[in-house]
Amino acid sequence: MMKPHIPELTATDVEILKQEVIYQGHMKLLKYELKYRLFAGGWSPVVIRELFQSRHAVGVLLFDPLRDEIVLIEEFRLGALAQKSPWILELVAGIIEPNEAVTEVAKRESQEEAGCDVLDLIPMVEYWTSPGISTGRFSLFCGRIDSSKAGGIFGLSHEHEDIRAHVFPKDFVYNALKTGEINNAATIIAVQWLQLHEFEIKQKWK
């Protein structure tokens, strides 16, 4: 069996020559001039890169193991404007506020965006969303819910949220993943995780 790859280079092998703020709005855009060590030895030439400074986010796949149902939300996303409809199916998710625990965010956003009380949380994975251009990281959870009364329109008006929560049979969601109707990274990762761990999740929550 192959041993896991452990990177030999670290953050100390990057030299920041210049850093400036290009834009400060909903997100901060930074410009860097830097060098980094090469695998073959020596240093790279000076490289210019732009980086979005974004905060850590939390996503929750809301799952009712007794009814075999999943709650997903539908929301307008500007980045998806190029496709037929920029309203996409996705997980409940939100940004971590200062001094807020990831589990608190998961429970808060489940209420705000889908009207669901989370009865239990199981960590899935944590990953960098797009490390070539952003500092953002995502923590994913599977949240146990009672989906019998789920569904409806939610969101905070002062955040300009207009969110519709859908209750789907689990197999419908699995098929939507297969057909490409579910097409954003966090939701794809979470649904695939549930497919791999469904038996043990149901054993834990039965």
Side-chain angles (χ1 to χ4, degrees), residues 11-204:
T12 60
D13 296 300
V14 179
E15 183 180 348
I16 306 297
L17 304 174
K18 186 178 179 181
Q19 175 186 326
E20 60 180 309
V21 177
I22 298 176
Y23 174 78
Q24 174 74 66
H26 185 63
M27 291 188 293
K28 182 187 290 187
L29 180 62
L30 304 172
K31 181 180 178 181
Y32 285 87
E33 293 182 19
L34 56 87
K35 298 191 299 183
Y36 55 86
R37 290 192 187 275
L38 301 173
F39 291 123
W43 288 82
S44 73
V46 175
V47 176
I48 297 176
R49 292 286 185 269
E50 290 79 33
L51 183 72
F52 285 109
Q53 190 174 73
S54 47
R55 288 180 288 170
H56 192 165
V58 176
V60 190
L61 182 63
L62 300 173
F63 179 50
D64 185 331
L66 301 180
R67 299 171 64 88
D68 252 1
E69 291 179 332
I70 291 173
V71 173
L72 295 177
I73 61 172
E74 181 184 5
E75 188 173 7
F76 169 74
R77 292 303 190 191
L78 180 59
L81 200 58
Q83 69 177 25
K84 183 178 180 180
S85 173
W87 279 262
I88 63 175
L89 289 175
E90 59 187 18
L91 303 176
V92 160
I95 299 295
I96 300 177
E97 300 297 338
N99 302 316
E100 191 175 26
V102 288
T103 53
E104 292 174 359
V105 181
K107 294 175 181 178
R108 169 172 56 79
E109 292 294 334
S110 297
Q111 259 295 335
E112 290 179 2
E113 296 190 345
C116 290
D117 293 321
V118 173
L119 307 175
D120 194 15
L121 283 169
I122 295 177
M124 291 181 173
V125 295
E126 183 175 307
Y127 66 95
W128 296 98
T129 54
S130 187
I133 61 170
S134 171
T135 60
R137 288 183 298 148
F138 223 119
S139 292
L140 293 182
F141 290 88
C142 186
R144 182 183 182 183
I145 60 165
D146 175 2
S147 63
S148 61
K149 297 181 181 178
I153 298 175
F154 302 92
L156 301 178
S157 59
H158 69 273
E159 293 185 5
H160 307 290
E161 292 180 331
D162 180 46
I163 299 169
R164 181 162 57 179
H166 296 272
V167 183
F168 295 118
K170 177 202 65 187
D171 290 341
F172 176 91
V173 175
Y174 287 174
N175 188 64
L177 181 66
K178 187 183 300 183
T179 61
E181 186 176 357
I182 292 175
N183 57 9
N184 60 93
T187 310
I188 291 171
I189 293 168
V191 173
Q192 288 181 334
W193 185 94
L194 183 61
Q195 287 178 312
L196 290 173
H197 298 275
E198 182 185 335
F199 177 78
E200 61 192 83
I201 293 299
K202 286 184 173 179
Q203 289 298 304
K204 179 180 175 64

